[in-house]
Amino acid sequence: MTMRRPLIAGNWKMHKTAEETERFIKELLPKLENVEDIDVLIIPPYTSLDRAGRLLQGKSLQLGAQDVHYETEGAFTGAISTHMLKACGCSYVLVGHSERRELFGDDDTIVARKLNVALDSDLKAILCVGETLSEHDLVEEKITRQLTQDLTGIDAMTLTKITIAYEPIWAIGTGKTATPEVAQETISMIRRWIASHYDEAAAQGMRILYGGSVKPANAKSLLAQPDIDGALVGGAALVAESFAQIVDAARLQ
Ligand code: PGA
């Protein structure tokens, strides 16, 4: 029996206006009424955060942002700060999502800076790591490199504010999910890395999610794996009903 509290997070990417966000939240909230012992999080685009934050005041459904800038204020056209996210009611932020890394040039130095600014501002961070299809044979090297560089300067105490999401890039939005066994194997490797770079207590306390084509139909078998503590969901998180079904799959573990 794990002591780690599961997290089901819905990363909406570039989907939904503020109006559509409101409709989604009003549909989802009643479906979560009896959910206990699980953290549930939605991660809408920036333009929906303020409206979502107002609707979620006093609710257990939590709010996160998809990215953040690594400086706290200043001449950074187009960027959003941790302070702005917190003012909208965000408690979480994604850092190093593969789409940020691959499409927007967030390298490990930038990811480490974003992680640091998020944690300094008392946001919880979800650090995403994962390999492309061509790197799949070298998955351990790739992820080890990402963890080593991204977690530079993070001490064991601060580490408790981080959730790691293992997202094989070849499984994101492709309908190709990693098998539960493959996901488990990589995630347990990540846990071992935490044990050897911090300690066993840090490793046992570290919440690690799987992400990549998680759907109601495969969620249960993924979440049943001993080291998988939740899911980072893209496509299936855009529909309240299917997102709620994935939350239910976590409850039944
Ligand atoms: P997907 O996206 O569930 O649509 O594959 C997951 C993610 O990118 O976080």
Side-chain angles (χ1 to χ4, degrees):
M1 193 59 193
T2 169
M3 299 296 290
R4 298 182 293 270
R5 191 177 161 92
L7 169 65
I8 303 296
N11 171 20
W12 293 5
K13 311 190 179 186
M14 198 169 70
H15 294 283
K16 293 192 197 296
T17 61
E19 196 66 40
E20 290 162 344
T21 299
E22 178 161 349
R23 237 178 289 139
F24 177 99
I25 288 173
K26 287 183 171 162
E27 199 186 330
L28 181 65
L29 282 176
K31 298 181 195 297
L32 300 180
E33 254 159 28
N34 300 316
V35 175
E36 284 167 18
D37 305 325
I38 296 177
D39 289 331
V40 185
L41 170 69
I42 55 168
I43 312 175
Y46 290 138
T47 45
S48 289
L49 292 178
D50 188 59
R51 175 106 57 128
R54 288 171 201 275
L55 290 163
L56 295 180
Q57 259 171 33
K59 309 282 188 219
S60 60
L61 177 60
Q62 299 178 71
L63 185 64
Q66 297 174 16
D67 190 33
V68 70
H69 193 60
Y70 50 74
E71 295 287 352
T72 51
E73 194 174 48
F76 302 102
T77 301
I80 298 288
S81 73
T82 51
H83 178 66
M84 296 168 190
L85 298 183
K86 289 184 74 179
C88 289
C90 288
S91 48
Y92 278 85
V93 62
L94 281 185
V95 177
H97 188 278
S98 61
E99 285 148 21
R100 296 297 319 171
R101 294 179 189 261
E102 303 277 310
L103 306 174
F104 297 94
D106 284 14
D107 62 19
D108 287 302
T109 308
I110 291 175
V111 170
R113 290 181 73 183
K114 289 183 171 182
L115 194 56
N116 271 282
V117 80
L119 299 170
D120 282 350
S121 315
D122 242 355
L123 283 164
K124 296 180 196 118
I126 300 178
L127 171 65
C128 305
V129 296
E131 82 290 2
T132 63
L133 189 56
S134 63
E135 293 165 334
H136 189 49
D137 291 342
L138 300 168
V139 57
E140 183 158 357
E141 284 84 338
K142 169 78 184 279
I143 287 175
T144 300
R145 190 173 69 240
Q146 288 181 322
L147 292 173
T148 307
Q149 294 180 5
D150 301 349
L151 294 173
T152 303
I154 304 278
D155 60 26
M157 188 61 206
T158 315
L159 194 72
T160 60
K161 294 199 286 177
I162 300 176
T163 296
I164 294 174
Y166 167 57
E167 297 206 306
I169 296 171
W170 47 270
I172 295 179
T174 57
K176 288 188 199 126
T177 320
T179 62
E181 294 71 27
V182 166
Q184 161 62 25
E185 197 182 312
T186 308
I187 288 175
S188 80
M189 180 271 288
I190 293 172
R191 203 175 298 290
R192 286 197 305 277
W193 186 92
I194 298 289
S196 65
H197 287 75
Y198 293 87
D199 56 30
E200 193 53 37
Q204 288 311 314
M206 171 55 73
R207 186 162 62 179
I208 310 179
L209 315 180
Y210 168 77
S213 296
V214 176
K215 312 236 169 316
N218 59 26
K220 211 164 164 242
S221 56
L222 286 160
L223 295 169
Q225 299 299 316
D227 283 296
I228 302 183
D229 304 320
L232 181 55
V233 187
L238 293 172
V239 177
E241 181 57 37
S242 67
F243 187 58
Q245 284 173 14
I246 295 171
V247 173
D248 272 340
R251 295 169 69 188
L252 300 172
Q253 295 308 312

